[in-house]
């Protein structure tokens, strides 16, 4: 085989996997741990627009705790994610439960290389039988995407919530291709 072609292919695979790795690792600056300050969301152009505050003061930078140059500090969002999984059918996903500002929601990061459009159903289960579910269309292609439930008022501890994303063929067969959970243990190699 042509070694140059193999090298280019390996480089493309690494470049395509970086946005997903960045989304999993999260942003790398203080106060921005809400999954919107960097990583996959920024790559996809899905992050919220920057919040506007008062005009920055003129002259030297503001003291800590005041408005000033640089990004506005975002409220803290905690996440609990299961392992990154992939199926032999060409679907990769990682599912998380997110908690912030008294709200809880589910999010699944995915990549669909199966060559056909799929359906995803993301369900967040909470204490006292509380359940929120959303269906997401997953287009055919290699672009990373995400499916997210609406944010609901938190009830109980973050550990009392779990999320499950199921990726299936959208026809009468309904073949399940991948099930990704927020509280699944990492797969073992044995």
């Amino acid at each position: 085989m042509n070694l140059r072609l193999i090298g280019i292919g390996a480089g493309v695979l690494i470049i395509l996997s970086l946005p997903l790795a960045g989304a999993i690792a999260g942003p790398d600056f203080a106060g921005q741990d809400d999954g919107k300050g960097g990583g996959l969301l920024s790559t996809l152009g899905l992050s919220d627009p920057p919040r506007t505050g008062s005009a920055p003061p003129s002259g030297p930078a503001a003291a800590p705790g005041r408005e000033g140059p640089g990004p506005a500090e975002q409220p803290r969002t905690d996440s609990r994610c299961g392992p990154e999984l992939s199926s032999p059918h060409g679907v990769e996903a990682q599912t998380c439960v997110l908690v912030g500002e008294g709200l809880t929601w589910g999010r699944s990061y995915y990549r669909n290389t199966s060559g056909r459009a799929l359906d995803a159903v993301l369900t967040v289960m909470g204490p006292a039988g509380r359940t929120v579910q959303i269906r997401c269309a997953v287009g055919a292609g290699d672009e990373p995407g995400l499916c997210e439930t609406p944010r609901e008022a938190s009830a109980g501890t973050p550990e009392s919530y779990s999320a499950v994303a199921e990726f299936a063929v959208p026809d009468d067969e309904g073949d399940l291709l991948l099930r990704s959970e927020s509280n699944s243990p990492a797969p073992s190699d044995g």
Side-chain angles (χ1 to χ4, degrees):
M1 276 197 165
N2 186 341
L3 291 178
R4 179 182 281 172
L5 185 58
I6 291 171
I8 292 172
V12 168
L13 286 176
I14 290 170
I15 290 170
L16 291 176
S17 66
L18 288 177
L20 189 56
I24 293 166
D28 61 355
F29 49 94
Q32 297 287 326
D33 191 23
D34 66 349
K36 293 183 180 177
L40 182 62
L41 293 179
S42 294
T43 302
L44 296 173
L46 298 174
S47 61
D48 289 339
R51 294 181 185 192
T52 57
S54 60
S58 58
R66 294 187 190 164
E67 291 283 330
E73 189 168 321
Q74 299 292 318
R76 180 170 175 81
T77 300
D78 293 317
S79 63
R80 206 174 75 252
C81 300
E84 191 176 325
L85 301 174
S86 61
S87 78
H89 305 288
V91 181
E92 300 172 10
Q94 182 178 35
T95 301
C96 305
V97 171
L98 295 103
V99 177
E101 295 187 317
L103 302 172
T104 302
W105 66 100
R107 182 182 293 163
S108 186
Y109 301 97
Y110 63 82
R111 186 181 304 259
N112 175 18
T113 61
S114 69
R116 57 182 165 177
L118 303 173
D119 279 340
V121 175
L122 176 60
T123 306
V124 175
M125 295 152 290
R130 297 169 59 128
T131 303
V132 176
Q133 188 175 73
I134 190 165
R135 181 178 300 269
C136 298
V138 177
D142 194 24
E143 293 299 314
L146 65 90
C147 181
E148 185 172 279
T149 65
R151 299 171 187 209
E152 299 285 331
S154 298
T157 64
E159 295 77 26
S160 61
Y161 286 86
S162 64
V164 176
E166 296 178 318
F167 296 84
V169 178
D171 59 17
D172 292 335
E173 296 172 32
D175 291 335
L176 181 64
L177 303 181
L178 182 66
R179 180 182 173 109
S180 172
E181 299 181 36
S182 63
N183 57 350
S184 298
S188 63
D189 291 334

